[in-house]
């Protein structure tokens, strides 16, 4: 998805400066992708040679793509390091920014927990609890309303997929 | 004219078959619903309804399946525009500008444009199917592995133009997608690559990745900002685009529909490829290409007309040659055979009445899609009036259940979540997600066809330059890849790109952004 510009850097795109946080992020991401690419190339050593004389084998394309990734990450690193530092932005309240990050982390954690819970207590109960929890996390405070909305939404989803589209949703190992 | 007379007779026959017409309505409604739900594709919809057609007469059964097919391709755009959940892979292209328009409060006009463009693209493709089927069928036979490889390379070259602010970051995302696309069984030898012993990874799980990168990532992002978290949704606004606005987009719609038809005819290429190619060409022909990706109405029109243009093209080779253009038509081929009909040139001779009644029914399906689509948009649009604090959890729940429904696998849901987390960080640091999805669609096609072509040519690379269609497609791919780079170099430093896409003022003046 090409997103609307956020005012951050575009390492290879424009001539404006780059903030310290963005510079570090670019370098870390480029390093991680390079490690992944190198690991992908190393893993191809285990791929068998092709039995067809006219075939390039299963390793050629992954090596090609991983090689291109390493070159592109190198370009990103060079561009990032060569870019001048941006003028410092007016400081944003650290508490709001921190709270936002914590919310995202909690949301991701809750989603992971929901996936685990589905296996044990089934889709219906896990999803209702999950919806109620995320609504609370996002500022929807209602001791009665949250669970009610969660149960209704879960019921609609359940009926649509399970009854309407014949998808066998998990009932959970505790109830099997 | 023989075809026109037969079509008129087809309409007359159809009017005497109320069951067939009723099943058209049922098919279109089921298709739109299935298309709109994440994870459920038109292929799945057709497969679900296939058993119901066994007891029906051939016309009613086939028309119901056509309704699901057409509605399914269109339905994906609704959630893509409203919620950035691409219901189908083709809608991933629509989401790029559609969701940006929703953020600007122009969801209604984006949905209306998508519906009208889907109708026009699809209808045009059915007319091509009726009048030019024998002529175009031979074109499909020109496509061997080398041409399909060149088409995939052309598709991949689009990455440069959908990269957003930084081509480098777009290319990194694209090549990462290509590397991920190599996970699974090697297309020639069947050797499992990077699967870690998991059989679930034998096929590239690209729909879970797509749902994660687009929908889950956006949902996680909306948890970050308290202003977004607590906001009430926006309203839908006007649905049917003003004629003056839509008229300017007609050349884009026409061009995208033709591209969709051509891509639909090519075996192995489907609506997803058509949508991305149509988007790229619309951007290339536009006078304001910088607006694309920021909420350009013509971008939505191009994707939808291209995707739906594919339907007639895919049916063309299936009916005339018995070659299914994509997975949906492969299932439809089975339905035809079950009904005792053998696709091929003889079908048009021995069952001409049935075939032309079927064509008339397809046109009716598209009219129904337009009417039902426009009528349902107000109801669908009520989603936007939900508070974000309720909508976001529901989106996440839909992501989970939609991904699970693909293969009844929690493993896929785990991949979706991982892709969602990666997508969130990609958004945060301006790495576009669309190149990853495009690479996941085109990567396996490129590798499989390259290696097939190489084997067919006995290990010689001649096929890259001695087949005219291959050479043309590869040349266009090089131009497409280099054009954004040249534009960036050409642009004077310090002169910012036109920002904002289609804003309200621009909507009145030149929403197509092409000045045509």
């Amino acid at each position: 998805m090409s997103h609307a510009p956020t005012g951050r850097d575009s390492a290879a795109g424009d001539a404006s400066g780059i903030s310290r946080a963005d510079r570090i992020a670019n370098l870390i991401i480029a390093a991680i992708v390079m490690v992944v690419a190198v690991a992908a190339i190393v893993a191809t050593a285990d791929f068998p040679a092709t039995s067809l004389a006219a075939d390039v084998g299963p390793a050629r394309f992954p090596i090609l793509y991983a090689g291109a990734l390493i070159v592109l990450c190198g370009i990103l690193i060079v561009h990032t390091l060569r870019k001048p530092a941006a003028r410092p932005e007016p400081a944003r309240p650290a508490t709001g920014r921190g709270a936002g990050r914590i919310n995202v982390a909690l949301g991701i954690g809750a989603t992971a927990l929901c996936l685990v819970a589905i296996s044990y207590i089934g889709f219906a109960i896990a999803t209702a609890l999950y919806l109620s929890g995320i609504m609370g996390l996002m500022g929807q405070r209602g001791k009665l309303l949250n669970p009610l909305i969660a149960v209704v939404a879960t019921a609609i989803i359940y009926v649509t997929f399970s009854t309407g589209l014949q998808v066998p949703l998990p009932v959970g190992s505790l109830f099997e | 004219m023989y075809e026109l007379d037969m079509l008129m007779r087809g309409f007359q026959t159809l009017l005497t078959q109320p069951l067939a017409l009723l099943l058209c309505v049922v098919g279109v409604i089921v298709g739109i619903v299935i298309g709109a739900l994440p994870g459920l594709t038109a292929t799945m919809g057709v497969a679900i309804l296939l058993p119901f057609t066994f007891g029906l007469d051939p016309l009613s059964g086939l028309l119901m399946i056509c309704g699901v097919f057409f509605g399914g391709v269109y339905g994906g755009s609704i959630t893509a525009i409203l919620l950035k959940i691409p219901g189908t892979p083709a809608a991933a292209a629509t989401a790029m500008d559609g969701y940006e328009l929703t953020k600007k409060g122009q969801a209604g006009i984006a949905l209306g444009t998508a519906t009208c463009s889907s109708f026009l693209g699809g209808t045009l493709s059915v007319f091509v199917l009726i009048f030019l089927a024998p002529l175009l069928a031979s074109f499909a036979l020109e496509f061997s592995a080398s041409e399909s490889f060149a088409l995939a390379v052309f598709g991949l070259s689009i990455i440069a133009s959908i990269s957003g602010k930084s081509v480098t970051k777009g290319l990194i995302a694209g090549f990462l997608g290509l590397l991920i696309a190599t996970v699974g069984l090697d297309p020639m030898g069947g050797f499992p690559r990077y699967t870690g012993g998991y059989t679930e990874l034998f096929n590239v799980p690209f729909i879970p990745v797509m749902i994660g990168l687009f929908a889950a990532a956006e949902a996680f992002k909306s948890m970050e900002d308290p202003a977004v978290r607590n906001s009430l949704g926006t309203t839908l606004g006007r649905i049917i685009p003003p004629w003056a606005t839509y008229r300017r987009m007609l050349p884009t719609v026409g061009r995208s529909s033709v591209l969709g038809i051509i891509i639909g005819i090519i075996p192995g290429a489907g609506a997803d490829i058509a949508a991305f190619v149509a988007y790229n060409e619309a951007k290339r022909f536009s006078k304001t290409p910088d607006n694309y990706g920021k909420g350009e109405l013509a971008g939505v029109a191009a994707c939808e007309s291209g995707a739906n243009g594919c339907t007639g093209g895919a049916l063309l080779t299936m009916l005339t040659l018995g070659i299914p253009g994509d997975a949906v038509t492969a299932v439809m081929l089975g339905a035809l055979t079950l009904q005792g009909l053998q696709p091929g040139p003889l079908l048009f001779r021995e069952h001409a009445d049935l075939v032309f009644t079927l064509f008339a029914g397809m046109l009716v399906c598209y009219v129904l899609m337009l009417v039902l689509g426009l009528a349902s948009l107000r109801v669908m649009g009520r989603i936007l009036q939900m508070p974000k604090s309720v909508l976001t959890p529901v989106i996440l729940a839909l992501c989970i259940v939609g991904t699970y429904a693909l293969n009844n696998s929690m493993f896929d849901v785990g991949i979706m979540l991982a892709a969602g987390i990666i997508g969130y960080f990609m958004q945060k640091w301006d790495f576009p997600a669309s190149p990853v999805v495009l690479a996941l669609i085109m990567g396996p096609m490129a590798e499989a066809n390259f290696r097939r072509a190489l084997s067919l040519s006995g290990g010689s690379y001649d096929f890259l330059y001695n087949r005219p269609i291959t050479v043309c497609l590869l040349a266009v791919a090089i131009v497409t890849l280099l054009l954004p780079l040249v534009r960036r170099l050409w642009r004077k430093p310090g002169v910012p790109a036109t920002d904002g896409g289609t804003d309200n003022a621009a909507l009145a003046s030149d929403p197509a952004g092409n000045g045509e």
Side-chain angles (χ1 to χ4, degrees), chain B residues 19 85 187 192 243 260 273 323 374 384 420 434 456 492:
Chain B
L19 179 67
I85 304 177
W243 171 240
I273 298 174
I323 302 170
L374 289 175
L384 288 180
S434 300
L456 288 170
K492 286 178 185 171

Side-chain angles (χ1 to χ4, degrees), chain A residues 24-39:
Chain A
I24 292 169
N26 273 355
L27 295 175
I28 290 173
I29 291 169
I32 291 172
V33 174
M34 274 176 137
V35 169
V36 170
V38 170

Side-chain angles (χ1 to χ4, degrees), chain B residues 280-355:
Chain B
N280 183 61
E281 293 312 301
K283 187 177 178 183
R284 197 210 305 264
F285 277 84
S286 171
K287 285 180 181 168
T288 53
D290 291 329
N291 285 351
Y292 281 70
K294 297 170 188 166
E296 181 58 68
L297 210 50
V300 174
C303 296
E304 285 305 303
S305 48
N308 285 272
C310 220
T311 54
L315 286 168
L316 191 147
T317 46
M318 192 270 282
L319 289 172
T320 54
L321 303 171
I323 302 170
D326 57 14
V328 185
T329 45
V331 180
M332 286 178 77
L333 184 69
L336 268 174
T337 316
L338 283 170
Q339 296 284 0
L341 300 167
Q342 189 61 46
L346 285 179
L347 182 72
F348 285 74
R349 223 173 290 161
E350 291 174 0
H351 301 279
D353 284 336
L354 174 69
V355 168

